[in-house]
Amino acid sequence: MPNKIDLKGLSLEELERFVTDHGEPVYRGHQLFHWIYGRGATTFAEMTDLPITLRARLAERASIGALAPLGREVSQDGTRKYLFGCADGRQIETVLIPDEGRLTACLSTQVGCALACAFCLTGTMGFVRHLQTAEIVDQVLALQRDLQPGERIGNLVLMGMGEPLHNYDATVKALTILAHPLGLAYPPRRIALSTVGLVPEIVRLGQSGLPVNLAVSLHAATDELRDRLVPINRRYPLKVLMATLRAYPLPSRRRLTFEYVLIDGMNDRPEDARELVKLLRGLRCKINLLPLNEAPAIPFHRPSRERVETFQRILKAAGLLTTIRESRGMDISAACGLLVTAGAEKRLDTAGHLA
Ligand code: SAH
């Protein structure tokens, strides 16, 4: 028997081509797209508005792949962390975070990560592989299947394992499906993509016409410090990154988000806050301060609440919109930067290199 084609991961145009190649009218492609993504179908048998003969033929030739749910942990604060298995046996984590009556889904885009930020556990895994479009989209479908009555996912954030812009093509295709009204129908303003600052891909994203929110993991306001914390800064230094962001086509009434992990004695001094004010002057933006989430393999510490608040006060006094992001799901290692699978955790030395 010929290998079945997996329809999950195909765009609307690709599904239309698939059906017309098989002698079916183009609107069957629409129907398949809506069944697979809009309604989360996992079999052709349930596609009741398709002729039975067509359903049977589809089942012979095609499949609808799905991640295997391997585990779910629930934090004291209600955060849920899911472990999913991919077809090749690799594993990924996805987090569902309750927040004021709605849920935010935090999606992974790669197994591991190549960027090796000095304070991030996912980075210690190294880069294993990119996720496919289907694997990114299916995280949301799998979460939706697990919702309790009355629960709804309000926001999607690409802030799990991996660097979404390093996996540009699969990520942007997944976003298109997630945002498509016939697909999962998440409005782009309810989707945020977080990047370490890959300049060429930020430019491409701006040109893509996909108005998702952009978050940039900054963590330092000088090259000297950022080179150490976020090694990709050596390739795309702050001058280049900030010029790119200043030119980014922000939709009206939107702001860029900057993430800044606060590390005790490293980047949390009042002068660091003042450098940050200078760097961001005039940009339509908001800043999320993330007090470091600690783990044995991370060679840094979280600053005291007082230092965090002093840092925030300096930013606020300069007119910068600033929030302190509370860690969620700490007790189940679901918090920012703590996602890691399959025992790949290694130790980092203080320069951020693998020991
Ligand atoms: N690679 C992308 C997407 C990951 S988002 C990016 O870097 O933006 C995850 C966020 O958590 C990033 O801002 C990352 O810098 C941050 N993070 C990593 N390790 C952390 C830690 N130990 N404590 C708090 N935040 C951390």
Side-chain angles (χ1 to χ4, degrees):
M1 207 177 67
N3 267 346
K4 291 187 181 184
I5 173 171
D6 184 0
L7 300 187
K8 197 175 275 170
L10 297 193
S11 65
L12 179 56
E13 295 71 27
E14 287 166 339
L15 283 170
E16 287 174 348
R17 203 170 323 130
F18 171 77
V19 293
T20 51
D21 283 353
H22 288 82
E24 293 290 329
V26 70
Y27 71 87
R28 297 281 183 223
H30 269 243
Q31 286 177 302
L32 280 175
F33 188 85
H34 185 57
W35 272 111
I36 294 171
Y37 303 117
R39 308 180 72 165
T42 52
T43 65
F44 297 105
E46 67 200 91
M47 301 182 180
T48 44
D49 54 359
L50 300 186
I52 290 195
T53 51
L54 175 58
R55 284 184 249 163
R57 261 182 293 135
L58 283 168
E60 275 168 25
R61 288 180 197 152
S63 62
I64 305 170
L67 294 168
L70 298 180
R72 187 185 75 167
E73 287 177 86
V74 183
S75 161
Q76 283 167 3
D77 67 23
T79 300
R80 298 175 225 167
K81 183 172 80 170
Y82 293 80
L83 182 67
F84 294 116
C86 304
D88 67 350
R90 298 287 183 195
Q91 298 180 355
I92 54 172
E93 291 182 326
T94 307
V95 181
L96 199 54
I97 309 150
D99 189 21
E100 290 169 8
R102 50 159 207 246
L103 296 164
T104 295
C106 180
L107 313 181
S108 293
T109 53
Q110 297 178 321
V111 184
C113 184
L115 278 305
C117 297
F119 46 81
C120 177
L121 271 196
T122 305
T124 65
M125 289 177 69
F127 175 67
V128 181
R129 73 164 169 85
H130 292 309
L131 292 186
Q132 298 161 357
T133 297
E135 293 167 331
I136 299 171
V137 171
D138 207 44
Q139 292 172 61
V140 184
L141 292 171
L143 296 182
Q144 286 181 345
R145 275 197 290 280
D146 195 55
L147 295 179
Q148 307 296 311
E151 284 185 334
R152 222 175 57 80
I153 298 173
N155 295 301
L156 304 179
V157 296
L158 273 54
M159 298 188 183
M161 297 168 72
E163 165 53 43
L165 293 185
H166 182 204
N167 185 13
Y168 186 91
D169 290 336
T171 296
V172 166
K173 193 172 171 193
L175 289 176
T176 308
I177 294 168
L178 291 167
H180 197 291
L182 278 178
L184 285 98
Y186 287 92
R189 72 191 146 74
R190 299 222 155 267
I191 303 176
L193 180 153
S194 178
T195 178
V196 76
L198 303 187
V199 163
E201 286 77 16
I202 291 175
V203 174
R204 270 179 89 187
L205 185 70
Q207 292 165 346
S208 72
L210 202 69
V212 298
N213 293 302
L214 182 63
V216 177
S217 292
L218 200 56
H219 310 323
T222 62
D223 282 322
E224 193 208 347
L225 189 53
R226 196 163 190 266
D227 281 352
R228 290 166 67 193
L229 294 176
V230 184
I232 197 70
N233 192 67
R234 295 171 207 155
R235 174 129 35 117
Y236 305 116
L238 283 169
K239 200 163 184 277
V240 177
L241 175 62
M242 296 313 294
T244 306
L245 295 175
R246 285 181 189 278
Y248 192 79
L250 265 187
S252 57
R253 292 195 301 278
R254 292 273 197 94
R255 290 168 188 272
L256 289 169
T257 299
F258 289 99
E259 287 153 290
Y260 194 104
V261 173
L262 284 166
I263 305 172
D264 192 38
M266 192 75 178
N267 63 355
D268 67 337
R269 299 161 307 169
E271 62 246 55
D272 296 315
R274 287 191 286 270
E275 287 288 347
L276 189 55
V277 168
K278 264 196 261 166
L279 188 73
L280 301 184
R281 187 155 288 146
L283 255 177
R284 214 155 78 223
C285 67
K286 60 184 175 204
I287 301 159
N288 277 335
L289 297 176
L290 296 88
L292 179 81
N293 294 317
E294 297 182 341
I298 297 175
F300 300 115
H301 293 285
R302 166 182 291 221
S304 66
R305 186 76 200 175
E306 195 189 321
R307 278 179 81 90
V308 172
E309 282 172 5
T310 305
F311 197 94
Q312 182 187 32
R313 219 173 299 124
I314 295 169
L315 301 184
K316 280 192 154 171
L320 288 168
L321 209 64
T322 310
T323 53
I324 300 173
R325 184 120 58 86
E326 300 300 334
S327 293
R328 307 297 305 272
M330 271 308 285
D331 53 335
I332 55 166
S333 295
C336 300
L338 299 188
L339 299 183
V340 65
T341 50
E345 194 172 323
K346 299 190 193 115
R347 270 191 170 272
L348 292 172
D349 62 30
T350 41
H353 300 117
L354 289 178

